[in-house]
Amino acid sequence: MKYSNNIDDFPIYTSVDKKSIRSMMFKIKRYLSGFAEETGIQGFCAHEEVLYEMIERIEKRRIYFYVFYNGTRLGELNEGSLLCFWILKLMPFYHPQIPAYIINANIALAIFVNSLNYYAGLLQKKVNLTDQAVKNLQYAFCFRDLSKEAIMILAENLIY
């Protein structure tokens, strides 16, 4: 690994390639599988350009981790947490009868829980998430300001 603190040593960031976009869109769909059945919410849609913006921002954060944390990879759990953060921030999902902040908070929560379960399964660990904790998260996702880092550390601490 090459180390530097000289700005000229770093390449200029380019837009995310189509393969990475397809991969992340697949992950989003995977995390959302079962959302309609679990919540009873049917007929929600997404602004595709906002989803692309979210993916671009997640990829930039992937590079940030690598550069500023000595080659550290972003990882599935942090990626899922960032996805939740950007859903809450950019609100890409909409529904004709549900306010945007509600539908996006519910989708972010579903993705958060599914990414926790997915990551815990990879590690053969469990998720420590009570019904009350889910209600608290739903409230926080709707009405509180949560940073990227706060969501990441929260996710990390819910797996045992």
Side-chain angles (χ1 to χ4, degrees):
M1 175 183 221
K2 181 181 173 183
Y3 293 93
S4 177
N5 64 2
N6 183 343
I7 190 97
D8 295 326
D9 291 339
F10 294 93
I12 303 298
Y13 180 82
T14 60
S15 292
V16 178
D17 60 278
K18 290 183 191 288
K19 181 182 174 187
S20 296
I21 289 173
R22 278 193 304 272
S23 173
M24 183 61 86
M25 290 295 248
F26 176 78
K27 286 180 183 180
I28 292 170
K29 287 178 184 173
R30 184 184 71 212
Y31 285 143
L32 282 174
S33 69
F35 174 76
E37 293 103 35
E38 291 169 16
T39 63
I41 298 172
Q42 303 284 332
F44 65 93
C45 299
H47 295 286
E48 204 167 290
E49 65 279 358
V50 179
L51 291 176
Y52 291 146
E53 177 69 23
M54 288 170 31
I55 292 167
E56 187 82 28
R57 290 177 178 275
I58 291 168
E59 291 305 311
K60 286 178 180 178
R61 192 62 165 193
R62 187 180 315 281
I63 292 168
Y64 172 87
F65 262 67
Y66 186 79
V67 170
F68 292 103
Y69 292 101
N70 297 325
T72 300
R73 302 290 177 177
L74 184 59
E76 290 284 334
L77 193 59
N78 285 336
E79 186 177 287
S81 297
L82 284 170
L83 184 56
C84 293
F85 173 81
W86 288 115
I87 289 170
L88 296 171
K89 190 77 163 172
L90 299 177
M91 295 193 202
F93 298 100
Y94 61 95
H95 189 280
Q97 296 151 341
I98 301 171
Y101 74 96
I102 298 286
I103 189 73
N104 283 281
N106 285 330
I107 289 172
L109 181 61
I111 288 175
F112 187 75
V113 171
N114 286 340
S115 64
L116 286 173
N117 288 325
Y118 176 77
Y119 187 73
L122 289 177
L123 299 176
Q124 297 181 346
K125 293 186 175 190
K126 297 187 185 228
V127 177
N128 183 20
L129 199 57
T130 64
D131 289 342
Q132 186 59 50
V134 171
K135 287 178 186 175
N136 292 342
L137 277 171
Q138 187 173 27
Y139 181 85
F141 279 7
C142 281
F143 302 110
R144 296 225 164 104
D145 286 330
L146 298 170
S147 69
K148 295 176 222 50
E149 294 78 10
I151 296 172
M152 285 184 217
I153 197 71
L154 178 62
E156 203 174 294
N157 282 287
L158 289 171
I159 295 177
Y160 68 99

